[in-house]
Amino acid sequence: LLLRRDGSLCDGPPDRGFGCISCIDPALAEAVDSAGLRPLLAPLCNEAPPSGGLAPTPARRAHALIARKPAMFAELERADAVIAPSLFLQGVFEAQGFPEGRILHLPYGLDPSRGSARPDAARDRTDGKLRIGYIGSITRHKGVHVAIEAVRGSKRKGIALHVFGDLDTHPSYAKELRSLAGDDPRIVFEGRFEPTQLGETLQRLDCVAVPSLWHENTPFTALEALNFGLPVIASRLGGLSEIVRDGHNGLLFEAGDAAQLTKALERLSRSSSLLAKLSRKEAIPSVLADVRYLQRLYRELLVAKAGIA
């Protein structure tokens, strides 16, 4: 997730991994410090922890945390090819020390059977409302509360937020969202929908909000909306800014800033010309193109391993 315990963004394991201990398990960090284990563990930062079957002592648990990144990188480097769906993700791995040039960039393709093809006729907006959709997991790091705060912060009656997602996955957060929404009729909790209903769901909307608080890779919600011809209003984070170009196919705002999101939504609500300008259908590749790329890559790797010129 690249999120700290307090919900702030993380750039990667700090202090050779020792910073992860206090973030993930403060009690373990206290045990390590009180027992004076840090000097003993420091030389083991780049050594894999012992295999299973051993008692999970504080030293072994701490070792597993500080050695997690080098152990995972070592396993990853055994692969003949490593693929990242976003340049952002590729950059994160390289910034953490993974060899540059080893990671191939292959953007996600979409499944055409999900029906994400917008009809030629735009949705009727004679009622003057701007219908915003949030589609995805109802979890805190997805920033659903930011979207609700943004709508509550607007005095415009012609803005409506439709929240699509399973409210039973994280019931305490869902309860918090309902309380935040209050009795505002502009905010509707729609629940989840079946994948085959994607097209008809998007057809009801004018734009899609992706108010994530974590470093998104390449969320399918954004790709499907753009493929459908809907603008995406997204946090300026991670791989989102690779696919959402501010002023071209959507608008970007600083993550967690509900006031900025309010302004963006009000801009769209006031200007039908801006909405029309941003409602451009993006040609997102089909998943079949990804499959063909992977097939070619697999064949090339097999040929290289066999030593065939």
Side-chain angles (χ1 to χ4, degrees):
L1 288 178
L2 285 179
L3 286 176
R4 297 189 178 93
R5 190 177 188 84
D6 62 2
S8 61
L9 293 172
C10 176
D11 295 325
D15 192 15
R16 294 189 301 165
F18 279 99
C20 296
I21 302 175
S22 57
C23 184
I24 295 173
D25 191 341
L28 176 59
E30 185 177 344
V32 168
D33 291 338
S34 62
L37 295 175
R38 182 172 177 132
L40 299 175
L41 290 169
L44 303 178
C45 284
N46 293 315
E47 292 188 17
S51 57
L54 300 174
T57 63
R60 291 196 179 103
R61 288 164 56 206
H63 185 191
L65 286 176
I66 63 175
R68 182 172 181 267
K69 190 190 85 173
M72 292 181 67
F73 273 24
E75 288 298 311
L76 199 58
E77 287 190 52
R78 294 174 57 195
D80 293 301
V82 180
I83 295 171
S86 71
L87 295 172
F88 165 77
L89 184 63
Q90 177 181 337
V92 167
F93 273 75
E94 291 176 348
Q96 288 296 317
F98 197 77
E100 292 190 15
R102 282 290 318 277
I103 301 177
L104 304 173
H105 177 221
L106 175 63
Y108 287 136
L110 294 180
D111 180 357
S113 70
R114 287 172 61 88
S116 51
R118 187 179 183 123
D120 292 335
R123 192 186 63 78
D124 180 15
R125 296 192 70 243
T126 54
D127 58 5
K129 283 189 177 181
L130 177 75
R131 290 175 171 81
I132 309 125
Y134 169 85
I135 302 173
S137 303
I138 309 298
T139 55
R140 185 172 300 278
H141 63 268
K142 290 289 189 176
V144 192
H145 58 283
V146 178
I148 292 176
E149 288 172 0
V151 173
R152 291 302 304 265
S154 174
K155 295 180 180 179
R156 292 186 67 81
K157 295 182 179 180
I159 289 178
L161 173 64
H162 298 263
V163 179
F164 295 92
D166 191 345
L167 294 165
D168 296 326
T169 306
H170 298 279
S172 61
Y173 182 58
K175 182 179 179 180
E176 179 184 331
L177 294 179
R178 289 190 183 278
S179 176
L180 186 62
D183 58 357
D184 194 327
R186 299 174 298 172
I187 301 169
V188 182
F189 294 94
E190 303 274 5
R192 63 183 299 275
F193 60 84
E194 296 300 322
T196 54
Q197 298 174 300
L198 175 65
E200 62 187 79
T201 300
L202 293 177
Q203 180 63 23
R204 295 171 53 192
L205 305 173
D206 298 302
C207 63
V208 167
V210 186
S212 297
L213 300 175
W214 71 323
H215 290 297
E216 289 281 5
N217 186 5
T218 312
F220 278 98
T221 294
L223 290 175
E224 288 165 339
L226 294 174
N227 188 62
F228 198 78
L230 293 180
V232 175
I233 318 304
S235 302
R236 198 187 303 272
L237 274 182
L240 277 170
S241 54
E242 290 180 34
I243 57 176
V244 180
R245 288 166 287 168
D246 192 50
H248 177 78
N249 58 6
L251 298 173
L252 296 174
F253 67 98
E254 296 306 314
D257 194 329
Q260 272 196 26
L261 178 54
T262 298
K263 291 179 181 178
L265 297 178
E266 289 183 339
R267 282 181 64 196
L268 283 182
S269 177
R270 291 191 180 101
S271 175
S272 57
S273 61
L274 176 61
L275 181 62
K277 173 189 172 184
L278 301 180
S279 300
R280 59 180 79 229
K281 189 178 187 305
E282 297 286 342
I284 307 297
S286 163
V287 68
L288 181 59
D290 280 7
V291 171
R292 289 170 176 162
Y293 174 92
L294 292 172
Q295 288 175 330
R296 289 195 301 271
L297 176 62
Y298 192 63
R299 285 194 294 267
E300 290 170 4
L301 293 172
L302 287 178
V303 169
K305 275 188 165 296
I308 303 174

